[in-house]
Coordinates of all heavy atoms in Angstrom, one line a residue:
V1 N 89.5 92.2 83.0 CA 88.2 92.7 82.5 C 88.2 92.7 81.0 O 89.2 93.0 80.4 CB 87.9 94.1 83.0 CG1 86.6 94.6 82.4 CG2 87.9 94.1 84.6
V2 N 87.1 92.2 80.4 CA 86.9 92.2 78.9 C 85.9 93.3 78.6 O 84.8 93.4 79.2 CB 86.4 90.9 78.4 CG1 86.1 90.9 76.9 CG2 87.5 89.8 78.7
V3 N 86.3 94.1 77.5 CA 85.4 95.2 77.1 C 85.3 95.1 75.5 O 86.3 95.0 74.9 CB 85.8 96.6 77.4 CG1 84.9 97.6 76.9 CG2 86.0 96.7 78.9
T4 N 84.1 95.1 75.0 CA 83.9 95.1 73.6 C 83.1 96.4 73.3 O 82.2 96.8 74.0 CB 83.1 93.9 73.0 OG1 81.8 94.0 73.4 CG2 83.7 92.6 73.4
L5 N 83.5 97.1 72.2 CA 82.9 98.4 71.8 C 82.5 98.3 70.4 O 83.2 97.7 69.5 CB 83.9 99.5 72.0 CG 84.5 99.7 73.4 CD1 85.5 100.8 73.3 CD2 83.4 100.1 74.3
G6 N 81.3 98.9 70.0 CA 80.8 98.9 68.7 C 81.8 99.7 67.8 O 81.9 99.4 66.6
G7 N 82.4 100.7 68.3 CA 83.3 101.5 67.5 C 84.1 102.5 68.4 O 83.7 102.7 69.6
L8 N 85.1 103.0 67.9 CA 86.0 104.0 68.6 C 85.7 105.4 68.3 O 86.3 106.3 68.9 CB 87.4 103.7 68.3 CG 87.9 102.3 68.7 CD1 89.3 102.0 68.1 CD2 87.9 102.1 70.2
N9 N 84.7 105.7 67.4 CA 84.3 107.0 67.1 C 85.5 107.9 66.7 O 85.6 109.1 67.1 CB 83.5 107.7 68.2 CG 82.2 106.9 68.4 OD1 81.6 106.3 67.5 ND2 81.7 107.0 69.7
G10 N 86.5 107.4 66.0 CA 87.6 108.1 65.6 C 88.7 108.2 66.6 O 89.8 108.7 66.4
G11 N 88.5 107.7 67.8 CA 89.5 107.7 68.9 C 90.5 106.6 68.7 O 90.3 105.7 67.9
R12 N 91.6 106.7 69.4 CA 92.6 105.6 69.3 C 92.4 104.6 70.4 O 92.1 105.0 71.5 CB 94.0 106.3 69.5 CG 94.4 107.2 68.4 CD 95.7 107.9 68.6 NE 96.3 107.8 69.9 CZ 97.6 107.5 70.1 NH1 98.4 107.4 69.1 NH2 98.1 107.3 71.3
I13 N 92.5 103.3 70.1 CA 92.2 102.3 71.0 C 93.0 102.3 72.2 O 92.6 102.1 73.3 CB 92.2 100.9 70.3 CG1 91.5 99.8 71.2 CG2 93.6 100.5 69.9 CD1 91.2 98.5 70.6
E14 N 94.3 102.7 72.1 CA 95.2 102.8 73.2 C 94.7 103.9 74.2 O 94.8 103.8 75.4 CB 96.7 103.0 72.8 CG 96.9 104.1 71.9 CD 96.8 103.8 70.4 OE1 96.4 102.6 70.1 OE2 97.2 104.6 69.6
D15 N 94.2 105.0 73.7 CA 93.7 106.1 74.5 C 92.4 105.6 75.3 O 92.2 105.9 76.5 CB 93.4 107.3 73.7 CG 94.6 108.0 73.1 OD1 95.7 107.7 73.6 OD2 94.5 108.7 72.1
V16 N 91.5 104.9 74.5 CA 90.3 104.4 75.2 C 90.7 103.4 76.2 O 90.1 103.4 77.4 CB 89.3 103.8 74.1 CG1 88.2 103.1 74.8 CG2 88.9 104.9 73.2
G17 N 91.6 102.5 75.9 CA 92.0 101.4 76.9 C 92.6 102.0 78.1 O 92.3 101.6 79.3
R18 N 93.5 103.0 77.9 CA 94.1 103.7 79.1 C 93.1 104.4 79.9 O 93.1 104.3 81.2 CB 95.2 104.6 78.6 CG 96.1 105.1 79.7 CD 97.3 105.9 79.2 NE 97.9 105.4 78.0 CZ 97.9 105.9 76.8 NH1 97.2 107.0 76.6 NH2 98.5 105.4 75.8
A19 N 92.2 105.1 79.3 CA 91.1 105.8 80.0 C 90.2 104.9 80.8 O 89.9 105.1 82.0 CB 90.2 106.6 79.1
L20 N 89.9 103.7 80.2 CA 89.1 102.8 81.0 C 89.8 102.1 82.1 O 89.3 102.0 83.2 CB 88.6 101.7 80.0 CG 87.6 102.1 79.0 CD1 87.2 101.0 78.0 CD2 86.3 102.7 79.6
G21 N 91.0 101.7 81.9 CA 91.8 101.1 83.0 C 92.1 102.0 84.1 O 91.9 101.7 85.3
D22 N 92.4 103.3 83.8 CA 92.7 104.3 84.8 C 91.4 104.7 85.5 O 91.3 104.8 86.7 CB 93.4 105.5 84.2 CG 94.8 105.3 83.8 OD1 95.4 104.3 84.3 OD2 95.3 106.1 83.0
G23 N 90.3 104.9 84.7 CA 89.1 105.4 85.3 C 88.4 104.4 86.1 O 87.8 104.7 87.2
W24 N 88.4 103.1 85.7 CA 87.8 102.1 86.5 C 88.7 101.5 87.6 O 88.2 100.9 88.5 CB 87.4 100.9 85.6 CG 86.3 101.2 84.6 CD1 85.3 102.2 84.7 CD2 86.0 100.5 83.5 NE1 84.5 102.1 83.7 CE2 84.8 101.1 82.9 CE3 86.5 99.4 82.8 CZ2 84.2 100.6 81.7 CZ3 85.9 98.9 81.7 CH2 84.8 99.5 81.1
G25 N 90.0 101.8 87.5 CA 90.9 101.3 88.5 C 91.0 99.7 88.6 O 90.8 99.1 89.6
I26 N 91.2 99.1 87.4 CA 91.3 97.7 87.3 C 92.5 97.2 88.1 O 93.6 97.7 87.8 CB 91.3 97.2 85.9 CG1 90.1 97.8 85.1 CG2 91.3 95.7 85.8 CD1 88.8 97.4 85.5
G27 N 92.4 96.2 88.9 CA 93.5 95.7 89.7 C 93.6 96.4 91.0 O 92.9 97.4 91.3
R28 N 94.5 95.9 91.9 CA 94.7 96.5 93.2 C 95.6 97.7 93.0 O 96.7 97.6 92.4 CB 95.4 95.5 94.2 CG 94.4 94.5 94.7 CD 95.0 93.6 95.8 NE 96.2 94.1 96.4 CZ 97.2 93.4 96.9 NH1 97.1 92.1 96.8 NH2 98.2 93.9 97.5
A29 N 95.2 98.8 93.6 CA 96.0 100.0 93.4 C 97.4 99.9 94.0 O 98.3 100.5 93.4 CB 95.3 101.2 94.1

């Protein structure tokens, strides 16, 4: 999955990436 964001609003990209991957459940569990 590809995601582009206008900005991280002061957040860390690794935290945002992990939250999206975990929250969306990308891949077979």
Side-chain angles (χ1 to χ4, degrees):
V1 174
V2 172
V3 180
T4 71
L5 303 173
L8 297 169
N9 297 332
R12 296 176 351 135
I13 194 166
E14 52 272 10
D15 295 337
V16 172
R18 194 174 314 109
L20 293 175
D22 289 342
W24 289 342
I26 307 298
R28 281 185 24 208

